[in-house]
Amino acid sequence: MRKPIPIEGTVLLLVGPLGLFFSRVAGHLEAKGVSVYKVALPMREPGFRNKKKLIYNGPPCEFRSFIESTIDRYKVKHVLMYGDYIPIHREALIACRAKGVNTIVFELGYRRPGFITVEDQGVNSRSVLMNQNLREAATENRSDKSGIVLNQKRKRYRIAKVLTYILHSLTRYELMGYRHKLQPEPIDLWHQYWGYLSYYIYSVTETRTRKMITGKGKYFLVALQVAFDSQLRDEDRYNSMKAVIIDACKSFAEYCSDHEVALIFKHHPRDRGFNNYLRDIKAAAKVYGIS
């Protein structure tokens, strides 16, 4: 496994998660004497001083040349971004490789909700953790929390995230060219509210399932993704959550002969207010004879 590259020299931030996370990263780096700049797009990320914002209003197809000129002008050594599926981030990665600039890609933690995954070559299916040996090494020590300090200001950060989401929902801009969680629409405010409300409804109606999960019940767990996530659009194996559900039921019916084992689908919390897959699950279960 490669040794971490120390942050030395100017840092350029691209698109970050909704909320204050990237501004907190910038504050941390600046406190260590690192110069940090933020590419400012029509979507707003609060917490950055105007003199540290680099405005970009051009089309996505010209973003690579913008990054290349920015790297030269500010002598950028590190480029940080949230996810590598965003088209402008792909362009930035190409520019960084051509210029020999270090890249750092953030993603929400794969195994720990609330934690951030940091990789230098890509995330999700492009992650080096797709290599079996590296994946085993990473997951063996997943309970080790040495060096991790949980921030006690999470409530304040959540409020900031909600306000940022509302602002983005009411701001028109093209980031992905299709519907995406970083590019919400006004109707999505209702979906988010319903998702928040339904969490408490399901906590009561799904009591039996929760007891089995935390008890001695045997089961396979399928973690679903957000329906309009980039991975579903850009990867070849699946193009929708319905396809994932069908494949999971088919595989379960073929390879699991123990009738005491259950198949459980875990709805993604960000998708709860947008989609209900109950009919799809029941239909697939009926086709493959799962009771």
Side-chain angles (χ1 to χ4, degrees):
M1 188 175 291
R2 295 174 55 184
K3 293 183 179 180
I5 299 175
I7 302 295
E8 297 175 348
T10 302
V11 168
L12 180 65
L13 300 176
L14 302 186
V15 179
L18 297 182
L20 298 176
F21 176 70
F22 258 22
S23 65
R24 290 159 55 200
V25 170
H28 173 78
L29 293 174
E30 289 176 335
K32 301 292 184 180
V34 177
S35 181
V36 181
Y37 291 91
K38 175 72 177 69
V39 173
L41 300 160
M43 61 180 293
R44 296 176 177 86
E45 293 182 63
F48 295 96
R49 302 187 301 277
N50 287 333
K51 66 179 182 179
K52 290 293 185 178
K53 294 180 181 179
L54 307 179
I55 307 297
Y56 181 76
N57 293 318
C61 61
E62 297 178 4
F63 192 73
R64 188 189 309 180
S65 60
F66 167 77
I67 290 297
E68 290 175 344
S69 61
T70 300
I71 289 172
D72 293 336
R73 180 179 179 184
Y74 294 95
K75 296 180 172 56
V76 174
K77 299 298 182 183
H78 310 272
V79 175
L80 280 59
M81 65 194 75
Y82 174 52
D84 58 354
Y85 281 81
I86 300 175
I88 59 174
H89 284 181
R90 294 182 181 178
E91 297 297 315
L93 286 168
I94 296 173
C96 289
R97 290 175 187 135
K99 294 286 185 178
V101 172
N102 178 44
T103 57
I104 299 175
V105 187
F106 292 87
E107 179 61 288
L108 299 182
Y110 300 134
R111 298 292 292 263
R112 299 176 182 167
F115 286 80
I116 296 293
T117 299
V118 184
E119 302 181 65
D120 64 346
Q121 299 181 42
V123 294
N124 299 311
S125 65
R126 300 186 181 97
S127 169
V128 294
L129 293 178
M130 294 301 287
N131 176 287
Q132 179 67 27
N133 294 329
L134 290 177
R135 184 166 65 247
E136 290 177 355
T139 55
E140 281 176 2
N141 298 315
R142 61 184 180 270
S143 61
D144 177 23
K145 296 184 180 181
S146 59
I148 296 175
V149 179
L150 295 179
N151 200 301
Q152 301 303 315
K153 301 177 182 178
R154 292 184 64 185
K155 186 174 182 179
R156 183 193 307 175
Y157 296 146
R158 285 182 177 179
I159 293 174
K161 187 172 184 178
V162 170
L163 294 177
T164 306
Y165 190 92
I166 294 173
L167 181 62
H168 283 218
S169 299
L170 301 177
T171 304
R172 302 319 322 140
Y173 56 89
E174 184 174 340
L175 179 67
M176 300 294 293
Y178 55 87
R179 194 174 188 186
H180 191 268
K181 60 186 177 183
L182 290 176
Q183 190 173 282
E185 300 176 357
I187 188 61
D188 294 342
L189 294 174
W190 159 252
H191 293 308
Q192 290 290 348
Y193 173 75
W194 170 242
Y196 176 80
L197 183 63
S198 61
Y199 168 81
Y200 295 98
I201 296 175
Y202 294 142
S203 66
V204 176
T205 59
E206 297 177 350
T207 301
R208 180 181 176 185
T209 304
R210 290 171 180 264
K211 287 183 178 179
M212 185 182 71
I213 291 175
T214 57
K216 297 181 179 180
K218 297 185 294 182
Y219 59 90
F220 286 98
L221 182 66
V222 180
L224 301 179
Q225 181 56 280
V226 177
F228 44 83
D229 192 270
S230 304
Q231 298 172 73
L232 291 174
R233 267 189 86 94
D234 299 340
E235 297 300 332
D236 295 331
R237 186 172 182 184
Y238 301 113
N239 59 8
S240 68
M241 279 297 96
K242 183 176 180 180
V244 174
I245 291 168
I246 292 173
D247 193 35
C249 289
K250 180 173 182 280
S251 177
F252 183 77
E254 289 179 355
Y255 298 106
C256 184
S257 58
D258 188 346
H259 295 290
E260 298 300 319
V261 177
L263 178 64
I264 297 178
F265 289 92
K266 172 66 177 71
H267 207 161
H268 194 289
R270 289 289 299 275
D271 197 43
R272 187 186 297 117
F274 291 83
N275 296 284
N276 188 324
Y277 299 108
L278 182 60
R279 290 183 178 178
D280 295 324
I281 293 172
K282 285 186 174 182
K286 183 176 181 180
V287 169
Y288 295 107
I290 304 172
S291 61

